[in-house]
Amino acid sequence: PSHQVKVSVPKKGSSLTLAINEGLNTTASHKLSERNAILRALCGLPLLNALDKYPLCLLGGYAEAVKGSNEASMVIASIGSFMSVASLIRSGDSKEKDIVPQLNEVLAGNSFLVGSTFKPTLADYDVLYALSEKKLLNQDIVTADLKHLRRWVVTVIASMEELLTIKKSDNKSIPDVSIPAVDYGISDPVPVFFFGEEGEAAIVTSAAPAAAAAKGGSKPAAAAAAGGKKGDGAPAAAGGGLSEEEKKAAAEKRAKKNAEKAKKKAANKEAAGGKKKGGDAPAGDADLNVTALDIRVGKIIEVWEHESSDKLWCEKIDLGEDEPRQVLSGLRQFYKKEEMDGRVVLVLKNLKKRNLAGVPSHGMVLCASNADHTAVEFVIPPEGAKIGERVEFEGLKGDAVPENKLAKKKMLEKLAPDLKTDADGVVVWKGIKSVTSAGACVASKGMKDAQVS
């Protein structure tokens, strides 16, 4: 056929060039010299895709998503770019004083060379072997200050060792490889936790063995020297532990701290009891009540459709503050624009500002709804209620909690299930009626026994 491609692969020395003729009736050809370009030309993406599965995942698991994902395309392109870097290292055109620090900088914010991947890819293995072939992995070049590069080297080598282990145990089709050897390691990655009660000596003596682990074992002399720098002069116990005197001092410190905590807890409990007797809102969850919510009378002074959501209205609501608040409500299917504009409503004010479909909202317009949420109506104050006045509940007194505390303690989630309308359509909390200076708040169309949210 006239369009059949003829491929010839001459090999000269250690360099490889792939020549691809455009057709039988022409002498025009394309020459590829980059290894990764040759690999793609000879094998095509299907081979690489086949290798992008457990346990190899040479393309970071993105092979199958490349057609429908910009992120996947960027990952595959990044892998190819780093393979070109590996070729540059092998060619000797790059200087070690330039390439090694640059790799360390890239790895400062990434676990692996391609930041979006969860384990080493073909890029990591290729660059590691290129560095190894050019003898750029020894500790004289990958110095201790290049900690990100060292961490990467050790991690990728560990991943290769894991692959060989999988091959032996599961009989997977993984080629035998020669794993590069390095003359350094990283500190023990298992964290050591301190709680502020151990004293300085405990921290020093516990940290010493971890530092020595990078060299393949503990160093008693170094540990002893480290243990003698801090503390009260008592010798450290063998194996990096605490001496008897240090243990005794730590126990005394812990006992003193526990006594202080107990004293403070008792004082807080007494103070909370006094507040309860005085009628203020108590702090404990057991005594949490609706006074934690700051519900205000507000008037919608402007309303418009959300640009990207067909469920949301955007409103400016006057709550008696210096500036009207912007609040978003999912009421498009229940109220027309003209039914929203100018309405007097109840607004839960002490909610943290958050984005709804990309638009800021600071508060929540309260409505009553039936069980399946097919019927929704405003809950409203009586005529004559003042804009900005707080809705209270009969017999309960207390200040509303700050926005951050309401969210952090999940108070709304605990209080909301008991905020309802009663058999007369009046807004109640645990049966306690809501009140304003002009009377009780009700569902605008009289919805009974409904949830208010």
Side-chain angles (χ1 to χ4, degrees):
S2 60
H3 297 291
Q4 182 175 351
V5 176
K6 181 181 179 182
V7 179
S8 60
V9 189
K11 186 173 182 181
K12 298 178 181 179
S14 60
S15 63
L16 180 67
T17 303
L18 179 70
I20 305 177
N21 294 332
E22 289 186 350
L24 296 178
N25 300 323
T26 177
T27 58
S29 65
H30 303 284
K31 292 186 177 181
L32 305 176
S33 58
E34 287 286 349
R35 283 184 323 106
N36 50 327
I38 293 171
L39 181 63
R40 287 197 298 270
L42 287 176
C43 305
L45 280 177
L47 174 62
L48 295 181
N49 292 354
L51 297 176
D52 194 29
K53 299 182 184 300
Y54 176 83
L56 293 173
C57 297
L58 293 184
L59 299 183
Y62 283 88
E64 294 183 359
V66 70
K67 291 183 179 179
S69 166
N70 291 333
E71 181 186 3
S73 299
M74 290 297 294
V75 168
I76 303 301
S78 297
I79 291 173
S81 297
F82 276 110
M83 291 178 70
S84 297
V85 171
S87 296
L88 186 65
I89 295 171
R90 286 186 174 91
S91 70
D93 294 337
S94 63
K95 297 179 180 178
E96 67 181 53
K97 66 178 182 180
D98 295 329
I99 195 69
V100 170
Q102 286 174 10
L103 287 172
N104 185 70
E105 188 175 338
V106 168
L107 292 162
N110 300 307
S111 297
F112 304 105
L113 291 176
V114 181
S116 301
T117 57
F118 65 97
K119 63 181 298 182
T121 65
L122 190 58
D124 296 282
Y125 298 129
D126 200 10
V127 172
L128 181 75
Y129 274 103
L131 292 171
S132 177
E133 291 165 17
K134 288 297 179 179
K135 299 185 175 4
L136 298 179
L137 287 180
N138 64 68
Q139 62 181 348
D140 295 330
I141 295 174
V142 184
T143 53
D145 58 312
L146 301 175
K147 59 182 180 181
H148 307 299
L149 183 58
R150 280 197 172 190
R151 180 261 307 156
W152 171 78
V153 169
V154 173
T155 304
V156 175
I157 289 176
S159 177
M160 296 169 67
E161 292 171 345
E162 181 185 11
L163 288 175
L164 293 181
T165 302
I166 292 173
K167 176 183 178 180
K168 291 176 182 177
S169 61
D170 297 349
N171 197 27
K172 297 287 184 180
S173 298
I174 300 172
D176 287 316
V177 293
S178 175
I179 299 177
V182 294
D183 52 358
Y184 50 82
I186 57 175
S187 300
D188 189 347
V190 178
V192 178
F193 294 97
F194 298 98
F195 303 94
E197 301 170 354
E198 296 84 354
E200 291 179 332
I203 295 175
V204 172
T205 53
S206 296
K215 296 297 184 180
S218 61
K219 295 204 174 182
K229 290 179 182 178
K230 297 284 183 179
D232 56 4
L242 296 178
S243 69
E244 291 302 319
E245 291 184 25
E246 288 169 338
K247 289 179 181 178
K248 183 178 179 182
E252 290 175 355
K253 184 177 180 181
R254 189 160 47 248
K256 183 178 179 182
K257 195 167 186 177
N258 289 338
E260 290 174 354
K261 286 181 180 178
K263 185 177 180 182
K264 186 176 180 180
K265 186 176 181 180
N268 289 340
K269 187 174 181 180
E270 185 178 347
K275 284 186 177 182
K276 186 175 181 180
K277 291 177 183 178
D280 291 334
D285 276 357
D287 299 310
L288 180 67
N289 65 49
V290 73
T291 60
L293 305 181
D294 193 356
I295 301 173
R296 300 279 174 164
V297 176
K299 182 177 182 180
I300 301 174
I301 59 175
E302 185 181 353
V303 59
W304 66 97
E305 296 176 351
H306 192 290
E307 291 183 357
S308 59
S309 173
D310 58 2
K311 296 181 180 180
L312 294 173
W313 285 117
C314 305
E315 308 115 25
K316 291 286 186 182
I317 303 180
D318 180 8
L319 292 175
E321 300 173 307
D322 293 338
E323 297 289 339
R325 286 205 180 198
Q326 180 168 292
V327 178
L328 273 62
S329 307
L331 297 172
R332 287 267 288 275
Q333 69 183 93
F334 302 107
Y335 284 98
K336 298 177 181 178
K337 182 177 180 180
E338 56 268 23
E339 294 175 313
M340 298 279 292
D341 205 0
R343 290 294 293 261
V344 177
V345 294
L346 300 185
V347 178
L348 179 56
K349 176 183 171 184
N350 57 335
L351 291 179
K352 290 179 69 175
K353 183 183 290 187
R354 63 192 183 109
N355 286 343
L356 295 178
V359 177
S361 178
H362 196 186
M364 180 171 66
V365 175
L366 295 178
C367 293
S369 63
N370 61 359
D372 57 4
H373 207 71
T374 55
V376 175
E377 59 189 66
F378 290 120
V379 289
I380 57 174
E383 188 175 349
K386 299 176 182 178
I387 299 299
E389 79 166 282
R390 187 180 179 194
V391 176
E392 298 182 345
F393 289 78
E394 292 179 343
L396 297 177
K397 297 292 182 183
D399 295 328
V401 301
E403 295 175 358
N404 287 341
K405 186 175 181 181
L406 188 75
K408 185 177 180 180
K409 301 292 185 180
K410 300 187 181 297
M411 293 183 177
L412 179 58
E413 290 85 341
K414 297 170 184 175
L415 295 169
D418 295 307
L419 193 60
K420 302 179 179 182
T421 60
D422 64 11
D424 298 318
V426 175
V427 177
V428 298
W429 182 78
K430 288 189 175 182
I432 303 171
K433 291 186 177 181
S434 58
V435 291
T436 66
S437 60
C441 301
V442 297
S444 61
K445 299 177 183 177
M447 187 180 290
K448 303 175 182 179
D449 302 316
Q451 188 67 50
V452 174
S453 60

